[in-house]
Amino acid sequence: METMYLKNLSYEEKHNLATDVKTPAKILAVLAQDIDPRIREAVAWNENTPVETLVMLAKDGDETRYAVAQANVPEEVLIQLASDDYLKVRCAVASNSNTPPFILATLAKDEDIRVRSAVAENKNTLAEVLAMLAEDESEVVRASVAWNKNTSADILAMLAKDEDDDVRLAVAWNRNTSANVLAMLAKDEDRDVRSKVATNENTSADTLAMLASDKICWVRSDVARNKNTPIEILTVLAQDENWSVREQVALNESTTTELLAVLANDDVYDVRTAVATNGNTSADVLAMLAKDEYIVVRCAVAENENTPKEALVTLSKDNNEWVSERAEEALKERKEKSKTSIER
């Protein structure tokens, strides 16, 4: 009786209830039987819809089944939806993080590359299934295997020789790719592949040194960005002709205080701003940058925890409101922290 009022509600009122995560389960169960398919679909999307209601909706219209296929539903429902005629439903099952390996193994043989690609990206997909998909006729599927964080080093080594640039790029990104394979990809003709090698944490110092002299500036920038890049290489890149490379050196958490002091005198304000944001920048350098002619540099100084109090006091009187407000906020935060420490 308490749900009888639902039939007298307008579409908007019922839709609001169907989408509201606070709507009680018994109300959602009633709305799941509404004559309007849009209301039933909305219920299927609601994260608080009870499992038994989702099981019933798994036999509903295309878009409703699609919503159910993405939810945390029982295994038997996923088995049913894995053979659905509607492509989007099968793709959703293949992408669902709750889909068990044996269902994914079946979907790995689906006729549509979008389904196979979704299986290749799923973290639950077994190694042997990934190995099979690594030899798929579609480069989209092979690339998806290469993007998967669970793909083994052996499979990645095979895909590193793939004729498709996007596949090799994904291999260069993957953190399971070995240093030896990355060294090979560092010589790839595709600059985007080399760029991904430069960002990979497994890339060796020798390979990073080679990429530090790459003809493409953003590859060198990626080397400068890599936290594993040795200081010797960062020192060389700090003198790069391209300012964006020097900026990345200034942003790198591995860059030394001494090198940051050199970059603090860079002609390009973007580089000096990066120095002002680095946690390794010394108080003396920050005090110097607090007098910089550019607002963004002074603002970055005001936000750096290493900035000396004297510099913050000066910045709190800055002619630019943006700078002065941040300096005042920093001084206030330090005062509150100091007070808390004393009380303890």
Short mmCIF file of all heavy atoms in Angstrom, two decimals, residues 211-254:
data_model
loop_
_atom_site.label_atom_id
_atom_site.label_comp_id
_atom_site.label_asym_id
_atom_site.label_seq_id
_atom_site.Cartn_x
_atom_site.Cartn_y
_atom_site.Cartn_z
N LEU A 211 68.45 8.93 -24.89
CA LEU A 211 67.26 9.70 -25.23
C LEU A 211 67.41 11.18 -24.87
O LEU A 211 66.69 12.03 -25.41
CB LEU A 211 66.04 9.11 -24.53
CG LEU A 211 65.57 7.74 -25.02
CD1 LEU A 211 64.50 7.18 -24.11
CD2 LEU A 211 65.05 7.83 -26.46
N ALA A 212 68.34 11.48 -23.97
CA ALA A 212 68.56 12.87 -23.57
C ALA A 212 69.10 13.72 -24.72
O ALA A 212 69.06 14.95 -24.67
CB ALA A 212 69.52 12.93 -22.38
N SER A 213 69.59 13.04 -25.75
CA SER A 213 70.09 13.76 -26.92
C SER A 213 69.19 13.54 -28.13
O SER A 213 69.60 13.78 -29.27
CB SER A 213 71.53 13.33 -27.24
OG SER A 213 71.58 11.92 -27.50
N ASP A 214 67.96 13.09 -27.89
CA ASP A 214 67.01 12.88 -28.98
C ASP A 214 66.73 14.19 -29.70
O ASP A 214 66.72 15.27 -29.09
CB ASP A 214 65.70 12.30 -28.41
CG ASP A 214 64.82 11.68 -29.47
OD1 ASP A 214 64.10 12.44 -30.17
OD2 ASP A 214 64.85 10.45 -29.63
N LYS A 215 66.50 14.10 -31.00
CA LYS A 215 66.27 15.30 -31.80
C LYS A 215 64.92 15.95 -31.52
O LYS A 215 64.72 17.14 -31.80
CB LYS A 215 66.38 14.97 -33.29
CG LYS A 215 65.36 13.96 -33.78
CD LYS A 215 65.56 13.64 -35.26
CE LYS A 215 64.55 12.59 -35.74
NZ LYS A 215 64.75 12.26 -37.17
N ILE A 216 63.99 15.18 -30.94
CA ILE A 216 62.66 15.71 -30.62
C ILE A 216 62.66 16.27 -29.19
O ILE A 216 62.98 15.54 -28.24
CB ILE A 216 61.58 14.62 -30.75
CG1 ILE A 216 61.60 14.03 -32.17
CG2 ILE A 216 60.20 15.19 -30.43
CD1 ILE A 216 61.31 15.03 -33.28
N CYS A 217 62.29 17.52 -29.04
CA CYS A 217 62.40 18.18 -27.73
C CYS A 217 61.52 17.55 -26.66
O CYS A 217 61.91 17.48 -25.50
CB CYS A 217 62.11 19.67 -27.87
SG CYS A 217 60.40 20.08 -28.30
N TRP A 218 60.31 17.07 -27.05
CA TRP A 218 59.45 16.52 -25.99
C TRP A 218 59.93 15.15 -25.51
O TRP A 218 59.58 14.72 -24.41
CB TRP A 218 57.98 16.51 -26.40
CG TRP A 218 57.54 15.55 -27.45
CD1 TRP A 218 57.46 14.20 -27.33
CD2 TRP A 218 57.08 15.87 -28.77
NE1 TRP A 218 56.97 13.65 -28.49
CE2 TRP A 218 56.73 14.64 -29.40
CE3 TRP A 218 56.91 17.04 -29.48
CZ2 TRP A 218 56.24 14.58 -30.70
CZ3 TRP A 218 56.41 16.98 -30.78
CH2 TRP A 218 56.10 15.77 -31.37
N VAL A 219 60.74 14.47 -26.30
CA VAL A 219 61.36 13.23 -25.81
C VAL A 219 62.38 13.60 -24.74
O VAL A 219 62.44 12.97 -23.68
CB VAL A 219 62.04 12.45 -26.96
CG1 VAL A 219 62.80 11.24 -26.41
CG2 VAL A 219 61.02 12.00 -27.99
N ARG A 220 63.16 14.63 -25.01
CA ARG A 220 64.13 15.10 -24.01
C ARG A 220 63.41 15.61 -22.76
O ARG A 220 63.88 15.40 -21.64
CB ARG A 220 65.02 16.20 -24.61
CG ARG A 220 65.78 15.79 -25.86
CD ARG A 220 66.92 16.73 -26.18
NE ARG A 220 66.52 18.12 -26.37
CZ ARG A 220 66.06 18.65 -27.49
NH1 ARG A 220 65.91 17.89 -28.58
NH2 ARG A 220 65.75 19.95 -27.56
N SER A 221 62.25 16.24 -22.97
CA SER A 221 61.45 16.72 -21.82
C SER A 221 60.99 15.57 -20.95
O SER A 221 60.97 15.66 -19.72
CB SER A 221 60.24 17.52 -22.32
OG SER A 221 60.61 18.75 -22.84
N ASP A 222 60.62 14.48 -21.61
CA ASP A 222 60.17 13.30 -20.86
C ASP A 222 61.31 12.67 -20.06
O ASP A 222 61.11 12.14 -18.97
CB ASP A 222 59.54 12.28 -21.80
CG ASP A 222 58.15 12.69 -22.26
OD1 ASP A 222 57.47 13.39 -21.48
OD2 ASP A 222 57.75 12.35 -23.38
N VAL A 223 62.52 12.72 -20.62
CA VAL A 223 63.69 12.24 -19.88
C VAL A 223 63.89 13.13 -18.65
O VAL A 223 64.14 12.64 -17.54
CB VAL A 223 64.96 12.28 -20.76
CG1 VAL A 223 66.19 11.91 -19.92
CG2 VAL A 223 64.83 11.32 -21.93
N ALA A 224 63.75 14.43 -18.86
CA ALA A 224 63.93 15.39 -17.76
C ALA A 224 62.86 15.22 -16.69
O ALA A 224 63.09 15.51 -15.51
CB ALA A 224 63.89 16.81 -18.32
N ARG A 225 61.69 14.73 -17.10
CA ARG A 225 60.58 14.53 -16.16
C ARG A 225 60.73 13.24 -15.35
O ARG A 225 60.22 13.14 -14.23
CB ARG A 225 59.26 14.50 -16.95
CG ARG A 225 58.02 14.40 -16.09
CD ARG A 225 56.77 14.28 -16.93
NE ARG A 225 56.54 15.47 -17.73
CZ ARG A 225 56.55 15.52 -19.05
NH1 ARG A 225 56.76 14.40 -19.75
NH2 ARG A 225 56.33 16.63 -19.70
N ASN A 226 61.43 12.26 -15.90
CA ASN A 226 61.55 10.94 -15.24
C ASN A 226 62.31 11.07 -13.92
O ASN A 226 63.43 11.55 -13.88
CB ASN A 226 62.28 9.97 -16.18
CG ASN A 226 62.15 8.53 -15.75
OD1 ASN A 226 62.24 8.20 -14.56
ND2 ASN A 226 61.94 7.63 -16.70
N LYS A 227 61.67 10.63 -12.84
CA LYS A 227 62.29 10.78 -11.51
C LYS A 227 63.51 9.90 -11.33
O LYS A 227 64.30 10.11 -10.39
CB LYS A 227 61.26 10.46 -10.43
CG LYS A 227 60.78 9.01 -10.41
CD LYS A 227 59.76 8.78 -9.30
CE LYS A 227 59.30 7.32 -9.27
NZ LYS A 227 58.32 7.08 -8.20
N ASN A 228 63.70 8.94 -12.23
CA ASN A 228 64.86 8.05 -12.15
C ASN A 228 66.05 8.54 -12.98
O ASN A 228 67.10 7.90 -12.98
CB ASN A 228 64.48 6.63 -12.59
CG ASN A 228 63.50 5.97 -11.64
OD1 ASN A 228 63.51 6.24 -10.45
ND2 ASN A 228 62.63 5.13 -12.17
N THR A 229 65.87 9.64 -13.67
CA THR A 229 66.96 10.16 -14.48
C THR A 229 68.10 10.62 -13.57
O THR A 229 67.88 11.44 -12.66
CB THR A 229 66.49 11.35 -15.35
OG1 THR A 229 65.47 10.88 -16.24
CG2 THR A 229 67.63 11.93 -16.16
N PRO A 230 69.32 10.11 -13.78
CA PRO A 230 70.47 10.47 -12.94
C PRO A 230 70.76 11.97 -12.99
O PRO A 230 70.51 12.63 -13.99
CB PRO A 230 71.63 9.67 -13.55
CG PRO A 230 70.96 8.53 -14.25
CD PRO A 230 69.68 9.10 -14.79
N ILE A 231 71.32 12.50 -11.92
CA ILE A 231 71.60 13.93 -11.82
C ILE A 231 72.56 14.38 -12.91
O ILE A 231 72.47 15.52 -13.39
CB ILE A 231 72.14 14.28 -10.41
CG1 ILE A 231 72.27 15.81 -10.27
CG2 ILE A 231 73.44 13.57 -10.14
CD1 ILE A 231 70.98 16.57 -10.45
N GLU A 232 73.46 13.48 -13.34
CA GLU A 232 74.40 13.85 -14.40
C GLU A 232 73.68 14.20 -15.70
O GLU A 232 74.04 15.14 -16.41
CB GLU A 232 75.38 12.70 -14.66
CG GLU A 232 76.30 12.37 -13.50
CD GLU A 232 75.63 11.51 -12.43
OE1 GLU A 232 74.53 10.97 -12.71
OE2 GLU A 232 76.20 11.38 -11.32
N ILE A 233 72.63 13.43 -15.97
CA ILE A 233 71.85 13.68 -17.19
C ILE A 233 71.00 14.93 -17.02
O ILE A 233 70.86 15.74 -17.94
CB ILE A 233 70.97 12.46 -17.52
CG1 ILE A 233 71.84 11.23 -17.79
CG2 ILE A 233 70.08 12.74 -18.73
CD1 ILE A 233 71.07 9.95 -18.01
N LEU A 234 70.43 15.10 -15.82
CA LEU A 234 69.62 16.29 -15.55
C LEU A 234 70.47 17.56 -15.68
O LEU A 234 69.99 18.59 -16.16
CB LEU A 234 69.01 16.21 -14.14
CG LEU A 234 67.90 15.17 -13.94
CD1 LEU A 234 67.50 15.11 -12.47
CD2 LEU A 234 66.69 15.47 -14.82
N THR A 235 71.72 17.46 -15.27
CA THR A 235 72.63 18.61 -15.37
C THR A 235 72.84 19.02 -16.83
O THR A 235 72.87 20.21 -17.16
CB THR A 235 73.98 18.29 -14.71
OG1 THR A 235 73.75 17.95 -13.33
CG2 THR A 235 74.92 19.48 -14.77
N VAL A 236 72.96 18.02 -17.68
CA VAL A 236 73.11 18.29 -19.11
C VAL A 236 71.83 18.89 -19.67
O VAL A 236 71.86 19.89 -20.42
CB VAL A 236 73.47 16.99 -19.88
CG1 VAL A 236 73.45 17.24 -21.39
CG2 VAL A 236 74.82 16.47 -19.44
N LEU A 237 70.69 18.32 -19.31
CA LEU A 237 69.41 18.80 -19.82
C LEU A 237 69.05 20.19 -19.29
O LEU A 237 68.25 20.90 -19.89
CB LEU A 237 68.30 17.80 -19.46
CG LEU A 237 68.37 16.46 -20.20
CD1 LEU A 237 67.35 15.49 -19.63
CD2 LEU A 237 68.13 16.65 -21.69
N ALA A 238 69.65 20.56 -18.16
CA ALA A 238 69.40 21.89 -17.60
C ALA A 238 69.96 23.00 -18.50
O ALA A 238 69.64 24.18 -18.33
CB ALA A 238 70.02 22.00 -16.21
N GLN A 239 70.79 22.58 -19.45
CA GLN A 239 71.38 23.54 -20.40
C GLN A 239 70.78 23.40 -21.79
O GLN A 239 71.29 23.96 -22.77
CB GLN A 239 72.90 23.31 -20.48
CG GLN A 239 73.61 23.41 -19.13
CD GLN A 239 75.06 22.95 -19.20
OE1 GLN A 239 75.82 23.45 -20.02
NE2 GLN A 239 75.43 22.01 -18.35
N ASP A 240 69.69 22.63 -21.89
CA ASP A 240 69.06 22.38 -23.19
C ASP A 240 68.60 23.69 -23.83
O ASP A 240 68.19 24.63 -23.14
CB ASP A 240 67.87 21.43 -23.00
CG ASP A 240 67.41 20.81 -24.31
OD1 ASP A 240 66.63 21.46 -25.04
OD2 ASP A 240 67.84 19.68 -24.60
N GLU A 241 68.65 23.73 -25.14
CA GLU A 241 68.25 24.93 -25.87
C GLU A 241 66.75 25.18 -25.80
O GLU A 241 66.30 26.33 -25.98
CB GLU A 241 68.67 24.81 -27.34
CG GLU A 241 67.98 23.65 -28.07
CD GLU A 241 68.42 23.52 -29.52
OE1 GLU A 241 69.32 24.28 -29.94
OE2 GLU A 241 67.86 22.65 -30.23
N ASN A 242 65.98 24.14 -25.53
CA ASN A 242 64.53 24.27 -25.45
C ASN A 242 64.11 24.52 -24.00
O ASN A 242 64.41 23.72 -23.12
CB ASN A 242 63.85 23.01 -26.00
CG ASN A 242 62.35 23.17 -26.12
OD1 ASN A 242 61.64 23.14 -25.13
ND2 ASN A 242 61.87 23.34 -27.34
N TRP A 243 63.40 25.60 -23.75
CA TRP A 243 63.06 25.96 -22.37
C TRP A 243 62.15 24.95 -21.69
O TRP A 243 62.20 24.78 -20.46
CB TRP A 243 62.42 27.36 -22.31
CG TRP A 243 61.06 27.47 -22.94
CD1 TRP A 243 60.76 27.88 -24.19
CD2 TRP A 243 59.80 27.16 -22.31
NE1 TRP A 243 59.41 27.84 -24.41
CE2 TRP A 243 58.79 27.41 -23.27
CE3 TRP A 243 59.42 26.71 -21.06
CZ2 TRP A 243 57.44 27.23 -23.01
CZ3 TRP A 243 58.08 26.51 -20.79
CH2 TRP A 243 57.10 26.77 -21.75
N SER A 244 61.30 24.25 -22.47
CA SER A 244 60.39 23.27 -21.85
C SER A 244 61.16 22.09 -21.26
O SER A 244 60.71 21.48 -20.28
CB SER A 244 59.37 22.78 -22.88
OG SER A 244 59.98 22.05 -23.92
N VAL A 245 62.31 21.79 -21.83
CA VAL A 245 63.16 20.72 -21.27
C VAL A 245 63.74 21.20 -19.94
O VAL A 245 63.73 20.47 -18.94
CB VAL A 245 64.30 20.37 -22.25
CG1 VAL A 245 65.22 19.31 -21.62
CG2 VAL A 245 63.73 19.86 -23.57
N ARG A 246 64.24 22.42 -19.92
CA ARG A 246 64.81 22.98 -18.68
C ARG A 246 63.72 23.08 -17.61
O ARG A 246 63.98 22.87 -16.42
CB ARG A 246 65.42 24.35 -18.96
CG ARG A 246 66.50 24.35 -20.04
CD ARG A 246 67.33 25.62 -20.03
NE ARG A 246 66.57 26.84 -20.20
CZ ARG A 246 66.20 27.39 -21.35
NH1 ARG A 246 66.53 26.78 -22.50
NH2 ARG A 246 65.53 28.53 -21.40
N GLU A 247 62.50 23.40 -18.03
CA GLU A 247 61.39 23.50 -17.08
C GLU A 247 61.14 22.16 -16.39
O GLU A 247 60.92 22.10 -15.18
CB GLU A 247 60.13 23.95 -17.81
CG GLU A 247 58.91 24.06 -16.90
CD GLU A 247 57.63 24.33 -17.67
OE1 GLU A 247 57.52 23.86 -18.83
OE2 GLU A 247 56.75 25.01 -17.13
N GLN A 248 61.20 21.08 -17.17
CA GLN A 248 60.97 19.76 -16.60
C GLN A 248 62.08 19.36 -15.63
O GLN A 248 61.84 18.69 -14.64
CB GLN A 248 60.82 18.71 -17.71
CG GLN A 248 59.55 18.84 -18.52
CD GLN A 248 58.30 18.85 -17.65
OE1 GLN A 248 58.17 18.08 -16.70
NE2 GLN A 248 57.36 19.74 -17.97
N VAL A 249 63.29 19.79 -15.92
CA VAL A 249 64.40 19.54 -14.99
C VAL A 249 64.10 20.26 -13.68
O VAL A 249 64.28 19.71 -12.58
CB VAL A 249 65.74 20.05 -15.57
CG1 VAL A 249 66.85 19.91 -14.51
CG2 VAL A 249 66.12 19.27 -16.82
N ALA A 250 63.63 21.50 -13.78
CA ALA A 250 63.32 22.30 -12.59
C ALA A 250 62.17 21.71 -11.78
O ALA A 250 62.09 21.90 -10.56
CB ALA A 250 62.99 23.73 -13.01
N LEU A 251 61.28 20.99 -12.44
CA LEU A 251 60.14 20.37 -11.75
C LEU A 251 60.48 19.00 -11.14
O LEU A 251 59.80 18.54 -10.24
CB LEU A 251 58.97 20.19 -12.73
CG LEU A 251 58.24 21.46 -13.18
CD1 LEU A 251 57.29 21.14 -14.32
CD2 LEU A 251 57.47 22.07 -12.00
N ASN A 252 61.53 18.38 -11.64
CA ASN A 252 61.88 17.02 -11.22
C ASN A 252 62.27 16.97 -9.74
O ASN A 252 63.12 17.74 -9.29
CB ASN A 252 63.02 16.48 -12.08
CG ASN A 252 63.17 14.97 -11.98
OD1 ASN A 252 63.18 14.38 -10.90
ND2 ASN A 252 63.28 14.31 -13.13
N GLU A 253 61.66 16.06 -9.01
CA GLU A 253 61.93 15.95 -7.57
C GLU A 253 63.34 15.43 -7.28
O GLU A 253 63.80 15.50 -6.14
CB GLU A 253 60.89 15.03 -6.92
CG GLU A 253 60.91 13.59 -7.44
CD GLU A 253 59.79 12.73 -6.88
OE1 GLU A 253 58.65 13.21 -6.78
OE2 GLU A 253 60.06 11.57 -6.51
N SER A 254 64.02 14.91 -8.31
CA SER A 254 65.38 14.42 -8.13
C SER A 254 66.44 15.49 -8.38
O SER A 254 67.63 15.28 -8.15
CB SER A 254 65.65 13.23 -9.06
OG SER A 254 64.78 12.15 -8.76
#
